[in-house]
């Protein structure tokens, strides 16, 4: 592996990192149910995207109990 010839000073490291901007998290609120949701994703609460129903959230998944032999 290539190694740096000299240790970077605190000032050099910090001045470089100073340029790194905080990345926007991308959390928005659903226009339908006002729940917090990730940008460009289907709402986990009501299953809509851009005002259209995409996923049926009323559907309940039944899990069959497993029997041990
Ligand atoms: Zn929603």
């Amino acid at each position: 592996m290539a190694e740096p010839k000299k240790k970077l000073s605190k000032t050099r490291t910090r001045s470089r990192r100073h340029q790194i901007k905080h990345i926007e998290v991308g959390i928005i609120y659903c226009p339908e149910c006002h729940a917090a949701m990730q940008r460009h994703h289907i709402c986990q609460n009501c299953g809509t995207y851009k005002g259209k129903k995409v996923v049926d959230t009323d559907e309940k998944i039944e899990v069959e109990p497993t029997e041990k032999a």
Side-chain angles (χ1 to χ4, degrees), residues 28-37 43 46 48:
I28 57 162
Y29 293 95
C30 177
E32 302 292 321
C33 66
H34 307 288
M37 58 181 273
C43 177
C46 62
T48 56

Side-chain angles (χ1 to χ4, degrees), residues 7 10 13 15 17 20-23 38-40 43 48-49 51 54 57 59 64 66:
K7 180 186 175 182
K10 283 178 192 173
T13 306
S15 60
R17 288 180 183 168
I20 302 168
K21 303 284 190 298
H22 288 285
I23 302 159
Q38 208 174 342
R39 192 180 284 267
H40 305 297
C43 177
T48 56
Y49 184 73
V54 183
T57 47
E59 198 174 283
E64 287 177 31
T66 51

Side-chain angles (χ1 to χ4, degrees), residues 5 18 41 51 54:
K5 279 190 175 176
H18 170 73
H41 285 255
V54 183

